Coordinates of all heavy atoms in Angstrom, one line a residue:
R123 N 8.9 13.7 -2.2 CA 8.0 12.9 -2.9 C 6.5 13.3 -2.8 O 5.8 13.4 -3.6 CB 8.2 11.4 -2.6 CG 7.3 10.4 -3.4 CD 7.7 9.0 -3.1 NE 7.0 8.1 -4.0 CZ 5.8 7.5 -3.8 NH1 5.3 7.7 -2.6 NH2 5.3 6.8 -4.6
R124 N 6.2 13.6 -1.4 CA 4.8 14.0 -1.1 C 4.5 15.3 -1.8 O 3.4 15.5 -2.4 CB 4.7 14.2 0.4 CG 4.6 12.9 1.2 CD 3.3 12.1 0.7 NE 3.0 11.0 1.6 CZ 2.0 10.1 1.4 NH1 1.3 10.3 0.4 NH2 2.0 9.1 2.2
L125 N 5.5 16.2 -1.9 CA 5.3 17.5 -2.5 C 5.1 17.3 -3.9 O 4.2 18.0 -4.6 CB 6.5 18.5 -2.2 CG 6.4 19.8 -2.8 CD1 5.3 20.6 -2.2 CD2 7.7 20.6 -2.6
T126 N 5.9 16.5 -4.5 CA 5.8 16.4 -6.0 C 4.5 15.6 -6.5 O 3.8 16.1 -7.4 CB 7.1 15.5 -6.5 OG1 8.2 16.1 -6.1 CG2 7.0 15.3 -8.0
I127 N 4.2 14.6 -5.8 CA 3.0 13.8 -6.3 C 1.7 14.1 -5.8 O 0.6 13.8 -6.3 CB 3.2 12.3 -6.1 CG1 3.2 11.9 -4.5 CG2 4.5 11.7 -6.7 CD1 3.2 10.5 -4.2
E128 N 1.7 15.0 -4.7 CA 0.4 15.3 -4.1 C 0.3 16.9 -3.8 O -0.6 17.5 -4.2 CB 0.3 14.6 -2.8 CG -1.1 14.8 -2.1 CD -1.1 13.9 -0.8 OE1 -0.1 13.5 -0.3 OE2 -2.2 13.8 -0.2
G129 N 1.3 17.4 -3.2 CA 1.2 18.8 -2.7 C 1.0 19.9 -3.7 O 0.1 20.7 -3.6
L130 N 1.7 19.8 -4.9 CA 1.6 20.8 -5.8 C 0.2 20.9 -6.5 O -0.1 22.0 -7.0 CB 2.7 20.7 -6.9 CG 4.1 20.8 -6.4 CD1 5.2 20.7 -7.5 CD2 4.3 22.2 -5.7
G131 N -0.5 19.8 -6.5 CA -1.8 19.9 -7.1 C -3.0 20.2 -6.2 O -4.1 20.4 -6.6
I132 N -2.6 20.5 -4.9 CA -3.7 20.8 -4.0 C -4.1 22.3 -4.0 O -5.3 22.6 -4.0 CB -3.2 20.4 -2.5 CG1 -3.1 18.9 -2.4 CG2 -4.2 20.9 -1.5 CD1 -2.4 18.4 -1.2
D133 N -3.2 23.2 -4.0 CA -3.5 24.5 -3.9 C -2.5 25.4 -4.8 O -1.3 25.0 -4.8 CB -3.4 25.0 -2.5 CG -3.9 26.4 -2.3 OD1 -3.1 27.4 -2.5 OD2 -5.1 26.6 -2.0
N134 N -3.0 26.3 -5.5 CA -2.1 27.2 -6.4 C -1.0 27.8 -5.7 O 0.2 28.0 -6.2 CB -3.0 28.2 -7.1 CG -2.1 29.0 -8.1 OD1 -1.6 28.5 -9.0 ND2 -2.0 30.4 -7.8
S135 N -1.2 28.1 -4.3 CA -0.1 28.8 -3.6 C 1.1 27.9 -3.4 O 2.3 28.4 -3.3 CB -0.6 29.3 -2.2 OG -1.0 28.2 -1.4
F136 N 0.9 26.6 -3.3 CA 2.0 25.6 -3.2 C 2.7 25.6 -4.4 O 4.1 25.6 -4.4 CB 1.4 24.2 -2.8 CG 0.7 24.2 -1.5 CD1 -0.3 23.1 -1.4 CD2 0.8 25.0 -0.5 CE1 -1.0 23.0 -0.2 CE2 0.1 25.1 0.6 CZ -0.8 24.0 0.8
E137 N 2.1 25.6 -5.6 CA 2.8 25.6 -6.8 C 3.6 27.0 -7.1 O 4.7 27.0 -7.6 CB 1.9 25.4 -8.1 CG 2.6 25.2 -9.3 CD 1.7 24.7 -10.4 OE1 0.4 24.7 -10.2 OE2 2.2 24.4 -11.6
V138 N 3.0 28.0 -6.7 CA 3.6 29.4 -6.7 C 5.0 29.3 -5.9 O 6.0 29.8 -6.4 CB 2.8 30.4 -6.3 CG1 3.5 31.8 -6.1 CG2 1.6 30.7 -7.3
R139 N 4.9 28.8 -4.8 CA 6.1 28.7 -3.9 C 7.2 27.9 -4.6 O 8.4 28.2 -4.6 CB 5.8 28.0 -2.5 CG 5.1 29.0 -1.6 CD 4.9 28.3 -0.2 NE 4.4 29.2 0.8 CZ 3.1 29.3 1.0 NH1 2.2 28.6 0.3 NH2 2.6 30.1 2.0
Q140 N 6.8 26.8 -5.2 CA 7.8 25.9 -5.8 C 8.4 26.6 -7.0 O 9.6 26.5 -7.3 CB 7.1 24.6 -6.2 CG 8.1 23.5 -6.6 CD 8.9 23.0 -5.3 OE1 8.7 23.5 -4.2 NE2 9.7 21.9 -5.5
T141 N 7.5 27.3 -7.8 CA 8.0 28.1 -8.9 C 9.1 29.2 -8.5 O 10.1 29.4 -9.2 CB 6.8 28.8 -9.6 OG1 5.9 27.7 -10.1 CG2 7.3 29.6 -10.8
E142 N 8.8 29.8 -7.4 CA 9.7 30.8 -6.9 C 11.0 30.2 -6.4 O 12.1 30.8 -6.7 CB 9.1 31.6 -5.7 CG 7.9 32.5 -6.1 CD 7.1 33.0 -4.9 OE1 7.4 32.6 -3.8 OE2 6.3 34.0 -5.1
L143 N 11.0 29.0 -5.9 CA 12.1 28.3 -5.5 C 13.0 28.0 -6.7 O 14.2 28.2 -6.8 CB 11.8 27.0 -4.7 CG 13.0 26.1 -4.5 CD1 14.1 26.7 -3.6 CD2 12.5 24.8 -3.8
H144 N 12.4 27.4 -7.7 CA 13.1 27.0 -9.0 C 13.7 28.3 -9.7 O 14.8 28.2 -10.2 CB 12.1 26.3 -9.9 CG 11.8 25.0 -9.4 ND1 10.8 24.2 -10.0 CD2 12.4 24.2 -8.5 CE1 10.7 23.0 -9.3 NE2 11.6 23.0 -8.4
Q145 N 12.9 29.4 -9.6 CA 13.5 30.6 -10.2 C 14.6 31.1 -9.5 O 15.7 31.5 -10.1 CB 12.4 31.7 -10.2 CG 12.8 33.0 -10.9 CD 13.2 32.8 -12.3 OE1 12.2 32.5 -13.1 NE2 14.4 33.0 -12.8
T146 N 14.7 31.0 -8.2 CA 15.8 31.4 -7.4 C 17.0 30.5 -7.6 O 18.2 31.0 -7.8 CB 15.5 31.4 -5.8 OG1 14.4 32.2 -5.6 CG2 16.7 31.9 -5.0
L147 N 16.8 29.2 -7.7 CA 17.9 28.3 -7.9 C 18.5 28.5 -9.4 O 19.7 28.4 -9.5 CB 17.5 26.9 -7.7 CG 17.0 26.5 -6.3 CD1 16.6 25.1 -6.2 CD2 18.2 26.7 -5.3
A148 N 17.6 28.7 -10.3 CA 18.0 28.8 -11.7 C 18.9 30.1 -11.8 O 19.9 30.1 -12.4 CB 16.8 28.9 -12.6

Side-chain angles (χ1 to χ4, degrees):
R123 185 171 188 267
R124 284 295 187 186
L125 180 65
T126 300
I127 67 174
E128 186 179 13
L130 296 181
I132 291 168
D133 189 273
N134 183 61
S135 66
F136 300 156
E137 187 171 6
V138 168
R139 283 184 174 91
Q140 197 70 357
T141 299
E142 290 172 350
L143 170 62
H144 289 165
Q145 182 63 66
T146 302
L147 296 179

